[in-house]
């Protein structure tokens, strides 16, 4: 029940400040429409005639990263209002606090990804693996958001103010986005950059989402491998966030 209360409190804050939702989706939407239109003609050979379908997975991940990044502001706002410390001294499990705020970012990420999918229909995007492929995209977005939101929660407790937080998170999000296969295929990349892209976990999420959109069948073995990797990362980021929250209690 405590987790649901924290979740509802965070969601209520988000919808009381709809600009936070709007801003996280406007930039990716611009990328989806303008970049696909500009670069689409030269990239048709790798996107089976529709470059928008090719970059859509990367844009969905970008939306998720931006949404989770913005969720870290909740801690700074609660600290400025004093409610952060009131929650800490309340008889609530620390895991419920972390889980509630983490699930808020997950819910918003799923909503915004759904919006991107609906908008992509008007850009002639077709999910080749059908309804099953569409359903399997949900857990991929879920674990991506859960991992990133836990990481953002921990980072927001490490950094002293929201200005530094915004700077650091912009650097992290953009680095993860561009050091991936979001915009270009792996086969055209070599050397150290290829290694950096390969060790970027979001590369594999993007590739899995892309396979569900462009592929004719589902590679269950690879899909389960990627999901297993991110489930481990989710546990790691949650543990880190919980540890940082516990350290706030000690202060």
């Amino acid at each position: 029940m405590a987790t649901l209360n924290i979740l509802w409190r965070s969601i209520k804050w988000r919808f009381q400040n709809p600009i936070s939702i709007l801003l996280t989706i406007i930039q990716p939407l611009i990328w989806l429409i303008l970049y696909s239109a500009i670069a689409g003609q030269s990239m048709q050979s790798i996107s089976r005639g529709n470059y928008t379908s090719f970059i859509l997975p990367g844009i969905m991940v970008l939306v998720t990263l931006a949404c989770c990044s913005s969720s870290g502001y909740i801690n700074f706002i609660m600290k400025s209002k004093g409610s952060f410390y009131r929650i800490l001294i309340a008889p609530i499990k620390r895991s419920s606090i972390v889980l509630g705020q983490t699930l808020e970012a997950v819910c918003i990420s799923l909503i915004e990804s759904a919006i991107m999918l609906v908008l992509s229909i008007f850009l002639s995007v077709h999910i080749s693996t059908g309804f099953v492929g569409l359903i399997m995209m949900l857990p991929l977005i879920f674990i991506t958001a859960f991992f990133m939101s836990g990481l953002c929660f921990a980072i927001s407790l490490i950094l002293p103010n929201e200005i530094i937080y915004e700077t650091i998170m912009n650097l992290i999000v953009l680095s993860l986005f561009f050091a991936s296969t979001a915009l270009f295929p792996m086969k055209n990349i070599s050397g150290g950059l290829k290694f950096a892209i390969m060790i970027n976990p979001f590369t594999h999420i993007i590739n899995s989402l892309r396979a569900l959109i462009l592929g004719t069948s589902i590679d269950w073995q690879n899909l389960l491998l990627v999901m297993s990797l991110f489930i481990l990362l989710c546990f790691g980021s949650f543990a880190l966030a919980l540890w940082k929250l516990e350290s706030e209690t000690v202060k």
Side-chain angles (χ1 to χ4, degrees):
M1 182 62 70
T3 299
L4 293 177
N5 288 335
I6 297 294
L7 172 60
W8 172 244
R9 187 178 187 279
S10 299
I11 289 179
K12 187 168 63 173
W13 171 87
R14 180 81 71 164
F15 283 96
Q16 285 174 348
N17 299 270
I19 189 67
S20 65
I21 299 177
L22 188 62
L23 290 178
T24 57
I25 200 170
I26 284 180
Q27 182 180 359
L29 184 59
I30 292 174
W31 275 87
L32 185 65
I33 296 175
L34 294 184
Y35 192 83
S36 62
I38 294 172
Q41 294 183 358
S42 61
M43 302 295 288
Q44 284 184 3
S45 60
I46 59 133
S47 57
R48 301 181 184 180
N50 189 347
Y51 185 56
T52 305
S53 298
F54 183 85
I55 67 171
L56 177 61
I59 300 301
M60 290 173 64
V61 169
L62 178 60
V63 166
T64 301
L65 296 181
C67 180
C68 294
S69 175
S70 67
S71 70
Y73 282 105
I74 295 177
N75 284 331
F76 292 107
I77 292 174
M78 289 198 303
K79 283 184 177 181
S80 66
K81 293 183 177 180
S83 58
F84 178 84
Y85 301 101
R86 288 196 295 271
I87 291 177
L88 281 185
I89 63 176
I92 301 174
K93 291 182 179 180
R94 301 293 178 263
S95 57
S96 296
I97 298 173
V98 176
L99 186 59
Q101 286 193 215
T102 298
L103 290 178
E104 182 271 340
V106 171
C107 291
I108 299 300
S109 296
L110 288 171
I111 291 172
E112 294 195 0
S113 295
I115 293 173
M116 297 300 296
L117 280 171
V118 171
L119 292 175
S120 68
I121 294 175
F122 298 97
L123 299 173
S124 303
V125 172
H126 173 70
I127 300 177
S128 300
T129 53
F131 181 74
V132 176
L134 178 63
I135 294 300
M136 290 309 301
M137 294 172 75
L138 298 179
L140 288 175
I141 295 297
F142 182 97
I143 56 179
T144 301
F146 195 98
F147 163 59
M148 192 63 187
S149 59
L151 188 62
C152 291
F153 187 99
I155 292 174
S156 70
L157 297 180
I158 294 172
L159 299 177
N161 57 64
E162 59 270 30
I163 297 176
I164 297 177
Y165 175 81
E166 181 180 9
T167 303
I168 295 296
M169 290 312 304
N170 283 338
L171 177 62
I172 292 175
V173 169
L174 291 178
S175 297
L176 290 172
F177 178 71
F178 286 109
S180 71
T181 54
L183 301 177
F184 304 99
M186 179 70 75
K187 65 180 181 180
N188 295 339
I189 305 170
S190 60
L193 180 58
K194 183 174 183 178
F195 176 76
I197 291 174
M198 283 297 296
I199 64 174
N200 181 356
F202 296 101
T203 289
H204 305 290
I205 282 288
I206 291 171
N207 288 344
S208 296
L209 289 170
R210 183 172 291 139
L212 292 174
I213 294 175
L214 297 177
T216 54
S217 62
I218 299 176
D219 184 350
W220 291 105
Q221 182 177 357
N222 181 71
L223 188 62
L224 291 175
L225 181 62
V226 172
M227 291 179 68
S228 298
L229 168 64
F230 264 80
I231 288 173
L232 291 176
L233 291 175
C234 287
F235 277 110
S237 68
F238 184 84
L240 177 62
L242 185 58
W243 174 69
K244 286 306 301 177
L245 186 62
E246 291 285 358
S247 67
E248 288 286 327
T249 308
V250 176
K251 290 181 179 179

